[in-house]
Amino acid sequence: MILTSASGEKAQPPERYALLSCTPTAGARLARTEACDLLEKAKGDPANLQPSRDTYCPMMFSPVTVTATGIWDGRFVRFEHTFGNACELRSTAGSIFDI
């Protein structure tokens, strides 16, 4: 998956980007393992992720837009979403977009 993150309500231009490979030969870094585990539970599509019920985020509007594009289990995935702030992003996507 190619992951991007940008401050604001638009994905372009991205401020950060990374390539996330969840193949067993990609190495066992903890952050990669956590991100891949979350994507596995979401069947490779971040749109299937739900916010944590245990996280309380401030009512502060500081949008963050993220994208994920790639192939998961032979299926093309294209995801783009704007979260109200970084806390909401982390509550929903966990470590996937820690790039």
Side-chain angles (χ1 to χ4, degrees):
M1 291 264 180
I2 297 171
L3 308 173
T4 69
S5 177
S7 294
E9 297 180 55
K10 295 184 180 182
Q12 297 295 328
E15 293 173 353
R16 294 181 303 271
Y17 58 91
L19 175 65
L20 176 65
S21 177
C22 293
T23 60
T25 59
R29 289 188 32 226
L30 182 59
R32 185 195 68 82
T33 302
E34 290 174 6
C36 291
D37 288 348
L38 285 167
L39 279 172
E40 181 69 33
K41 289 177 186 174
K43 297 182 174 131
D45 189 349
N48 294 331
L49 297 169
Q50 297 297 315
S52 168
R53 293 179 185 196
D54 299 326
T55 303
Y56 299 96
C57 294
M59 299 287 290
M60 177 180 72
F61 186 66
S62 181
V64 179
T65 301
V66 294
T67 67
T69 307
I71 305 294
W72 187 273
D73 201 22
R75 183 176 46 84
F76 182 75
V77 175
R78 171 77 174 113
F79 170 79
E80 180 175 328
H81 188 78
T82 301
F83 292 90
N85 57 48
C87 179
E88 290 178 8
L89 167 61
R90 181 76 173 157
S91 172
T92 303
S95 63
I96 295 173
F97 294 96
D98 286 355
I99 53 179

